[in-house]
């Protein structure tokens, strides 16, 4: 069974006892009572699944709550439950559950203590990844890139540090970022929630984390051992992509006053994966301020977060940060900030031959036949008007425009100098049309 779990990353071992958990005992007991109360569960097997603990540890918690007269046994249930003992909350148990819910609405999966989570972060660190040229080339297979670009990208990604990609818009900086993510084929373990100082911080987020297929339990094997701690979810390495909407407050813990729990900020959710800051320079905060916020985490592999009380604490920072901008770095950063970003990679537009390769590839994919006369017209008549500056987005734009015209005119997909002219007119706003 273990072979299925992960080729590279060592899974978190399941806890074997209450002592092993390293969480305040009262907190564990209260989560158990709240989960029973909210989900109306009465069997240890169901409870173990709901709080994501092994049955033996769940039984220990149940026995402790019984000793404290918060739970009582209801007697053996019918045969369908495998003769399993049922339990219910006593009046004191219900009262304690309600009291605990008034302090925090959190129930379900037991949180992982921050200290224990730190160890797992080391086991699955983004810095442990070594990406080969072949893996990166395969992941970028849908892009036509100059060979020299992979020469720079490969070492940057393998170092797992910070990368700044800059250059004119429309040349695939976002696609390249996604390709880097695709090159990381392994799986990691993301905690559903972590615990620090008695506070619960939820981390697993289905919007950010893609759950990997889980092994199917064999119903005939009741005693089958869990291969990893189910307080974690086995996922693809996460990718968080932010753009112009990114603000400094999004990098802080989010407190939910109703549930009285915290939600992890974006960079903590991206632990073990990639954090892409797209369109740097379009945010409300200046790029310098955003990069300053990352300086300590990037250099020291740890971030500082604050609770409502003002108490500050350290969390692991294990993320490949990719900044992407259309501005020249010297215009938006001072020298100190630039020095702290390990790799600066210029992403230029394609040369003429690469542009034609991209154009031919897009045309084939979209089912529009190439026409030599139309291509000569495009290269000889159109591009000189914009100083022969090619961009990766242009083939898709022009071909989509020609397809739309053909569909409107009710003619088969085709390209011609006339259709090139009509498509070109939609790609740029002519200077004389700009209203002053």
């Amino acid at each position: 069974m273990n072979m299925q779990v992960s080729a590279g990353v060592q899974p978190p071992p399941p806890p074997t006892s209450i002592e092993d958990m390293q969480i305040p005992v009262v907190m564990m007991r209260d989560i158990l009572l709240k989960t029973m109360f909210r989900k109306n569960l009465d069997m240890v097997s169901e409870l173990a699944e709901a709080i994501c603990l092994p049955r033996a540890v769940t039984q220990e918690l149940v026995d402790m709550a019984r000793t404290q007269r918060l739970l009582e046994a209801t007697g053996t249930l019918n045969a369908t439950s495998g003769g399993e003992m049922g339990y219910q909350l006593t009046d004191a148990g219900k009262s304690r559950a309600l009291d605990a819910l008034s302090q925090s609405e959190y129930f379900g999966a037991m949180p992982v203590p921050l200290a224990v989570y730190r160890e797992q972060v080391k086991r699955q660190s983004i810095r442990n990844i070594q990406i080969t040229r072949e893996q990166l080339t395969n992941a970028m297979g849908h892009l036509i890139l100059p060979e020299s670009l992979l020469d720079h990208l490969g070492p940057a990604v393998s170092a797992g540090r910070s990368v700044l990609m800059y250059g004119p818009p429309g040349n695939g900086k976002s696609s390249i970022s996604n390709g880097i993510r695709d090159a990381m084929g392994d799986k990691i373990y993301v905690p559903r929630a972590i615990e620090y100082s008695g506070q619960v911080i939820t981390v697993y987020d289905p919007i950010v984390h893609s759950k990997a297929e889980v092994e199917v339990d064999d119903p005939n094997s009741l005693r089958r051992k869990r291969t990893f701690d189910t307080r974690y979810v086995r996922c693809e390495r996460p990718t968080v992509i932010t753009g112009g909407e990114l603000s400094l407050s999004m990098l802080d813990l989010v407190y939910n006053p109703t549930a009285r729990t915290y939600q992890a900020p974006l960079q903590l959710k991206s632990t073990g994966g990639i954090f892409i800051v797209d369109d740097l320079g379009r945010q409300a905060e200046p790029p310098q301020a955003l990069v300053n916020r990352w300086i300590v985490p990037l250099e020291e592999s740890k971030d500082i977060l604050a609770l409502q009380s003002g108490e500050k604490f350290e969390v692991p920072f294990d993320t490949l940060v990719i900044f992407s901008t259309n501005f020249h770095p010297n215009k938006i950063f001072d020298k100190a900030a630039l020095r702290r970003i390990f790799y600066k990679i210029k992403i230029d537009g394609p040369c003429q031959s690469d542009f034609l390769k991209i154009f031919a590839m897009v045309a084939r994919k979209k089912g529009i036949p190439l026409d030599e006369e139309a291509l000569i017209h495009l290269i000889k008549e159109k591009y000189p008007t914009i100083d022969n500056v090619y961009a990766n987005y242009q083939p898709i734009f022009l071909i989509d425009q020609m397809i739309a015209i053909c569909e409107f005119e009710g003619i088969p997909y085709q390209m011609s100098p006339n259709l090139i002219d009509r498509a070109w007119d939609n790609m740029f706003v002519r200077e004389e049309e700009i209203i002053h």
Side-chain angles (χ1 to χ4, degrees):
M1 275 299 182
N2 269 326
M3 278 164 48
Q4 267 178 295
V5 167
S6 179
V9 170
Q10 194 186 335
T16 54
S17 65
I18 286 182
E19 286 73 41
D20 206 14
M21 296 283 294
Q22 300 176 43
I23 300 176
V25 174
V26 171
M27 185 181 191
M28 286 193 280
R29 182 206 65 195
D30 285 353
I31 288 175
L32 176 89
L33 298 177
K34 289 189 282 185
T35 306
M36 280 186 85
F37 183 80
R38 280 278 187 249
K39 297 189 101 168
N40 201 20
L41 303 173
D42 57 7
M43 287 192 296
V44 173
S45 57
E46 296 173 331
L47 265 169
E49 200 168 322
I51 63 175
C52 301
L53 290 183
R55 248 170 100 162
V57 183
T58 308
Q59 186 69 57
E60 260 190 275
L61 283 170
V62 166
D63 292 344
M64 183 182 71
R66 276 183 82 187
T67 311
Q68 296 173 2
R69 308 242 193 293
L70 300 169
L71 289 185
E72 61 190 6
T74 57
T76 305
L77 294 176
N78 60 28
T80 55
S81 67
E84 201 184 324
M85 179 78 77
Y87 296 92
Q88 64 185 22
L89 295 164
T90 61
D91 287 344
K94 280 181 193 153
S95 168
R96 178 64 217 152
L98 286 165
D99 190 32
L101 281 163
S102 72
Q103 290 169 41
S104 164
E105 266 287 341
Y106 186 83
F107 65 91
M110 283 289 168
V112 176
L114 180 56
V116 174
Y117 175 49
R118 274 200 191 101
E119 293 309 306
Q120 186 55 33
V121 171
K122 283 181 198 156
R123 283 193 281 265
Q124 59 195 30
S125 172
I126 189 87
R127 311 228 163 105
N128 297 344
I129 283 189
Q130 283 305 310
I131 287 188
T132 63
R133 181 180 287 274
E134 188 185 7
Q135 283 169 304
L136 201 53
T137 308
N138 290 344
M140 304 281 186
H142 59 300
L143 302 170
I144 288 167
L145 301 171
E147 196 65 26
S148 60
L149 180 57
L150 291 180
D151 295 344
H152 294 300
L153 267 182
V157 175
S158 285
R161 303 304 286 260
S162 49
V163 180
L164 171 67
M165 291 196 285
Y166 65 98
N171 283 312
K173 290 187 288 293
S174 305
S175 308
I176 291 165
S177 303
N178 294 334
I180 291 170
R181 176 196 62 196
D182 296 343
M184 299 175 177
D186 61 346
K187 311 285 185 281
I188 64 165
Y189 298 85
V190 177
R192 297 170 199 272
I194 54 178
E195 175 270 338
Y196 171 76
S197 193
Q199 301 296 320
V200 175
I201 301 162
T202 57
V203 179
Y204 173 70
D205 178 347
I207 295 167
V208 170
H209 300 109
S210 307
K211 209 173 187 172
E213 327 66 53
V214 287
E215 52 198 32
V216 180
D217 283 358
D218 177 357
N220 303 318
S221 162
L222 289 171
R223 298 191 175 278
R224 193 183 72 72
K225 276 194 152 166
R226 290 275 177 199
T227 50
F228 66 89
D229 184 345
T230 55
R231 291 177 296 166
Y232 293 82
V233 182
R234 188 166 174 255
C235 298
E236 310 287 339
R237 286 193 179 266
T239 304
V240 170
I241 302 176
T242 62
E245 78 286 357
L246 179 65
S247 65
L248 286 170
S249 63
M250 289 160 81
L251 306 176
D252 296 330
L253 282 172
V254 179
Y255 183 65
N256 180 331
T258 315
R260 293 191 173 84
T261 56
Y262 293 87
Q263 193 184 17
L266 293 173
Q267 73 276 21
L268 189 52
K269 288 180 182 176
S270 71
T271 301
I274 305 178
F275 193 113
I276 298 169
V277 182
D278 215 353
D279 265 347
L280 190 64
R282 306 253 177 247
Q283 292 76 11
E285 269 111 353
Q288 184 74 43
L290 283 169
V291 170
N292 286 349
R293 168 65 183 81
W294 296 90
I295 282 173
V296 170
L298 286 170
E299 289 193 340
E300 300 184 15
S301 301
K302 64 186 183 194
D303 196 9
I304 313 275
L305 298 177
L307 298 173
Q308 284 285 99
S309 62
E311 183 186 350
K312 293 190 172 169
F313 63 104
E314 284 178 10
V315 292
F317 185 87
D318 186 73
T319 304
L320 169 64
V321 183
I322 300 176
F323 299 104
S324 167
T325 182
N326 299 334
F327 296 99
H328 193 283
N330 292 341
K331 288 208 170 79
I332 55 174
F333 295 126
D334 64 20
K335 285 192 172 65
L338 271 178
R339 201 171 57 241
R340 288 180 159 102
I341 297 172
F342 277 72
Y343 297 90
K344 295 92 168 164
I345 299 172
K346 187 159 195 261
I347 312 284
D348 264 327
C351 61
Q352 190 184 91
S353 66
D354 278 351
F355 170 84
L356 288 169
K357 275 185 209 161
I358 297 166
F359 198 92
M361 185 174 78
V362 174
R364 191 171 62 247
K365 216 180 265 180
K366 304 252 184 188
I368 181 167
L370 288 172
D371 176 84
E372 194 179 345
E373 194 189 352
L375 281 173
I376 289 169
H377 179 69
L378 180 64
I379 299 298
K380 296 273 187 270
E381 303 296 326
K382 292 296 171 190
Y383 272 96
T385 66
I386 56 160
D387 299 328
N388 295 314
V389 175
Y390 299 95
N392 282 316
Y393 80 93
Q394 292 162 351
I396 296 173
F397 185 95
L398 292 167
I399 286 167
D400 280 348
Q401 290 280 337
M402 287 189 279
I403 285 172
I405 296 166
C406 291
E407 285 174 350
F408 175 70
E409 303 287 3
I411 55 175
Y413 285 180
Q414 57 192 270
M415 54 179 78
S416 65
N418 175 46
L419 287 171
I420 291 277
D421 285 343
R422 288 173 71 178
W424 185 270
D425 283 345
N426 285 331
M427 198 156 67
F428 300 103
V429 176
R430 280 194 288 273
E431 206 59 46
E432 67 270 20
E433 290 173 9
I434 297 171
I435 298 160
H436 293 285

